Amino acid sequence: MTRTRPRLSAFSVLTFSALVILTGCFGPPAPAPTSTSTATPTTAAPTTSPAAPTTAGPTAATSPPAAPPSTAAAPPSSAPTSPPPTEEPVPGGLPEQVAPLTIYYVAVDDDGVSGPLIGCGDSLVATTTAPVRFTDQVRPSVEALLSNKSRDVGLSGLVNVLYQSNLTYTGGELAGSTITIYLTGQFMLGGVCDIPRAKAQLEYTAMAAAGATSAQVFVNGRPIDEVLSLK
């Protein structure tokens, strides 16, 4: 029995040759990944991104401006420049005061027209000073009289017969309606008519200061009448 061999056509030969060539060039296909393989986790390295630009602002919160100080005047402390005089108690219970002083001078030959009649037909006339601060009005009044070293009292026509005397006030006391003052020093008078004038100036000035109705004057511990009688 005769075996028949299959015939290969030219197309079949060419197809087979092409398959062999392709398999030799690319090799077998890579195996497909299986579901049992475990992926190794990778830690992503931190990436440093450039800092976003920031807008420069104030480093500290800005507080609203302080309100301007009040212009309302505060009550005075310790400080008006010269405080008004106050009446404060002093030893003896006398308050401090500010007032003019009354000083007596002589109107020669006035015969009692301008004031009390004294001496040789003269008058005693009251004058006032500028306001003075005091607690005991007798001392500053008598001292103002004794410190006047001018015979004529301005243009008033009045005379001060004590202008040459060297007398100092040392104290005084008021008993009832009588004021007593104490002086030291010496009288320097111009004549016999100056004796009643000098006495009257001292007594009336002291009475006006103390609000008294009579006065006694002692000089070096002796009554004024006794001292002046030796002149």
Side-chain angles (χ1 to χ4, degrees), residues 185-216:
Q186 302 294 326
F187 283 98
M188 291 290 295
L189 303 177
V192 66
C193 284
D194 278 356
I195 294 176
R197 294 168 181 166
K199 179 183 177 182
Q201 280 189 254
L202 288 167
E203 291 179 345
Y204 274 80
T205 297
M207 287 189 292
T213 57
S214 62
Q216 294 179 341

Side-chain angles (χ1 to χ4, degrees), residues 80 82-90 94-98 132-135:
S82 299
T86 56
E87 293 190 356
E88 299 179 354
V90 295
L94 296 176
E96 186 178 63
Q97 303 177 50
V98 177
V132 175
R133 186 189 301 271
F134 59 84
T135 54

Side-chain angles (χ1 to χ4, degrees), residues 128-214:
T128 56
T129 68
V132 175
R133 186 189 301 271
F134 59 84
T135 54
D136 172 15
Q137 191 173 354
V138 176
R139 174 181 289 276
S141 297
V142 175
E143 288 180 342
L145 173 61
L146 298 178
S147 64
N148 184 358
K149 298 304 179 182
S150 298
R151 179 182 182 276
D152 298 321
V153 184
L155 300 177
S156 64
L158 302 178
V159 173
N160 174 27
V161 301
L162 294 168
Y163 75 103
Q164 296 182 99
S165 298
N166 182 21
L167 299 169
T168 301
Y169 177 85
T170 59
E173 57 185 7
L174 178 64
S177 59
T178 300
I179 178 65
T180 301
I181 61 174
Y182 301 92
L183 310 177
T184 58
Q186 302 294 326
F187 283 98
M188 291 290 295
L189 303 177
V192 66
C193 284
D194 278 356
I195 294 176
R197 294 168 181 166
K199 179 183 177 182
Q201 280 189 254
L202 288 167
E203 291 179 345
Y204 274 80
T205 297
M207 287 189 292
T213 57
S214 62

